Amino acid sequence: EDQFVMAGDLLSLCVYGISDHFFCQTVSKMMVAQTLADPTHHLSRAAAASTMASRGSDLFLQAPVWMDPNSPYMNQVLESNLSNQLVTHYSPALEPMGQATVLLVASWLLAGWFHQAFSFKNTLNCTTERAILVTVRTWLTTCALLFAISLSSQAACGCDHFYLVAKGDLDFVVDSSSVLIWWRFLASYLLGSGQDEN
């Protein structure tokens, strides 16, 4: 087993998993704060609707019709609705940052074991093309495992559309490919033998 490449895989996936969730949460909070700082949210409901419609947004139209737009609680209602619309939504299994990262790493290790992605003949003692091909095959198996976990968690919690993969899950899983492929490419290209084992 190539422990150097395996450690690089795990490190890159951990950094990716944590930073992905952290930046999604941080950016969405900033967008909510920026939108609420917009002076149009103090206007009447009709004025806010026309202002936001001219910008191509319907975020302010989500306040209950019975609520007075000048109510002191309007900011909390709008903040809650904006958070629901702007925050990236994940399935219950991939929502927590740590849990999503652990599931990603565990799925990668299981798929890597199945495809022998950590043996020297598929990491450093092979051509770069073979290393990338094994990485892609392993990543596809990892995707299948993570999507199965995601759909199972949605079905278990009773989500409305448990048969659909959440957008956040899709982004999280698909974007992990670039991290893995770049790491494996660099490891194979810079440190590998460039020839397949005979």
Side-chain angles (χ1 to χ4, degrees), residues 7-142:
D9 289 350
L10 300 183
L11 181 64
S12 62
L13 286 175
C14 285
V15 169
Y16 164 74
I18 291 169
S19 62
D20 176 78
H21 275 64
F22 175 77
F23 286 119
C24 281
Q25 291 170 1
T26 303
V27 167
S28 62
K29 286 178 185 176
M30 287 175 23
M31 289 174 62
V32 168
Q34 181 182 12
T35 304
L36 287 177
D38 189 342
T40 60
H41 82 281
H42 291 295
L43 300 175
S44 70
R45 185 175 175 81
S50 66
T51 301
M52 295 310 290
S54 68
R55 295 181 184 173
S57 174
D58 61 350
L59 295 176
F60 282 97
L61 301 177
Q62 300 299 319
V65 293
W66 49 264
M67 187 160 194
D68 179 19
N70 299 319
S71 168
Y73 302 107
M74 190 62 150
N75 281 346
Q76 287 83 2
V77 172
L78 292 177
E79 184 174 355
S80 172
N81 289 333
L82 286 170
S83 294
N84 286 336
Q85 291 184 13
L86 296 176
V87 172
T88 303
H89 294 283
Y90 298 94
S91 66
L94 298 180
E95 179 77 31
M97 179 186 335
Q99 185 172 320
T101 303
V102 167
L103 287 172
L104 177 63
V105 168
S107 298
W108 175 256
L109 288 174
L110 184 63
W113 172 77
F114 179 74
H115 290 287
Q116 298 180 349
F118 308 118
S119 64
F120 279 106
K121 69 178 183 178
N122 289 324
T123 57
L124 298 180
N125 291 342
C126 66
T127 62
T128 302
E129 291 82 12
R130 179 175 171 157
I132 297 298
L133 180 64
V134 170
T135 303
V136 169
R137 280 196 310 236
T138 305
W139 177 77
L140 289 172
T141 304
T142 300

Side-chain angles (χ1 to χ4, degrees), residues 90-96 99 103 149-150 152-159 166 169:
Y90 298 94
S91 66
L94 298 180
E95 179 77 31
Q99 185 172 320
L103 287 172
I149 290 168
S150 171
S152 298
S153 72
Q154 289 183 32
C157 81
C159 296
D169 295 346

Side-chain angles (χ1 to χ4, degrees), residues 16 20 24 88 90 147 165-177:
Y16 164 74
D20 176 78
C24 281
T88 303
Y90 298 94
F147 289 146
V165 176
K167 182 184 181 306
D169 295 346
L170 187 64
D171 289 344
F172 179 69
V173 174
V174 171
D175 291 348
S176 68
S177 67

